[in-house]
Amino acid sequence: MNIQFVKKSSNQKIGAIPCTTSARDTCPKACPYAGVNGCYAEAGYYTRLNWDKVSRGERGAKYADFLDNIGKLKASTLWRHNVAGDLMPDSKDSENLDSRALDLLATANTGKRGFTYTHYRDNAHNIKAIRSANSKGFTVNLSANTIDHAIKLKRHNLPIAAVVPSDHGNDTRTIQGVKFITCPATYKDEVTCATCKLCSVSNRDSVVAFPAHGSRTNNANIIARG
């Protein structure tokens, strides 16, 4: 499973920071948005083409080389893991992430500001590994499929990002005691991951909301509305 490391992203929404793409095989079956169901990485033409090449092994490198690139980043560097793809899966159980691989990544990220999102289930194995990574400074956001799902995930006291319906709006709102902040980069041209940095803050109380968008918005809305 190859991982592509790019030292300076050309994606306008991400900004000029390092980013990565992992092969499709890293995506857990638990993700309901996979394929034509609203996955933003599949809907974006150039992102999908690049993801295809990484998944076929035509781009990217093995995990050890990826870790080496992360280790060489300057202190305090903000970087985004997985514009497409997810964390490395456990070879023995597709429902679980590879806790050893994640720990090695958290170690390589020491002193940097790496962040990512994961759709792996919130079972005991995965939560333990994710909690450990966050405690070591690598921010792993739990990916919620709906607003209700995000509220349920709050019990883990971990950072959360949620897909919300396309008509959710851009305002900050509190639902059942949980604060939802719409990702500023989704509606402000001048804001990027590089300037916002909200998703890299592991101890935040708020859920970052990402309205469904792109060519498969209708499919995503069906899931996001529960």
Side-chain angles (χ1 to χ4, degrees):
M1 297 180 187
N2 274 16
I3 299 179
Q4 179 192 47
F5 172 81
V6 176
K7 196 169 185 178
K8 185 177 180 181
S9 173
S10 59
N11 187 306
Q12 292 182 348
K13 289 299 182 182
I14 295 174
I17 59 173
C19 66
T20 68
T21 295
S22 294
R24 277 189 180 81
D25 288 347
T26 59
C27 288
K29 294 179 181 179
C31 179
Y33 291 98
V36 299
N37 292 328
C39 174
Y40 76 92
E42 294 283 11
Y45 179 75
Y46 291 108
T47 300
R48 186 179 71 252
L49 287 182
N50 185 60
W51 201 13
D52 286 341
K53 292 184 178 181
V54 173
S55 299
R56 291 194 298 263
E58 297 171 11
R59 291 180 179 174
K62 300 304 180 184
Y63 203 71
D65 297 313
F66 156 64
L67 293 177
D68 186 55
N69 281 320
I70 300 307
K72 290 178 179 176
L73 292 174
K74 293 181 180 179
S76 300
T77 297
L78 180 75
W79 67 280
R80 176 173 168 174
H81 186 33
N82 291 334
V83 175
D86 209 304
L87 299 171
M88 293 294 289
D90 189 310
S91 60
K92 297 180 180 179
D93 188 346
S94 61
E95 294 296 317
N96 291 339
L97 57 83
D98 186 331
S99 57
R100 174 60 176 163
L102 179 55
D103 186 64
L104 289 172
L105 175 52
T107 299
N109 178 70
T110 300
K112 293 88 174 178
R113 293 187 61 183
F115 69 99
T116 193
Y117 314 85
T118 185
H119 253 113
Y120 278 93
R121 295 188 188 280
D122 62 323
N123 59 32
H125 171 91
N126 293 335
I127 291 299
K128 180 180 179 181
I130 292 168
R131 193 179 305 283
S132 176
N134 277 281
S135 70
K136 293 181 179 180
F138 180 62
T139 302
V140 181
N141 291 271
L142 301 179
S143 292
N145 306 321
T146 65
I147 289 174
D148 286 344
H149 187 205
I151 293 170
K152 290 178 181 178
L153 289 176
K154 283 293 289 183
R155 69 185 185 275
H156 296 300
N157 195 29
L158 289 167
I160 300 169
V163 179
V164 296
S166 57
D167 58 0
H168 177 79
N170 303 331
D171 58 316
T172 296
R173 65 184 72 177
T174 298
I175 305 173
Q176 296 181 39
V178 178
K179 187 177 184 179
F180 287 79
I181 299 177
T182 303
C183 167
T186 62
Y187 63 93
K188 292 182 179 180
D189 291 338
E190 70 276 14
V191 177
T192 65
C193 292
T195 60
C196 175
K197 306 177 184 178
L198 183 59
C199 289
S200 71
V201 180
S202 63
N203 62 349
R204 68 178 192 274
D205 292 328
S206 58
V207 172
V208 180
F210 290 89
H213 63 281
S215 61
R216 291 167 181 164
T217 297
N218 290 338
N219 292 352
N221 273 337
I222 293 173
I223 299 169
R225 291 195 171 106

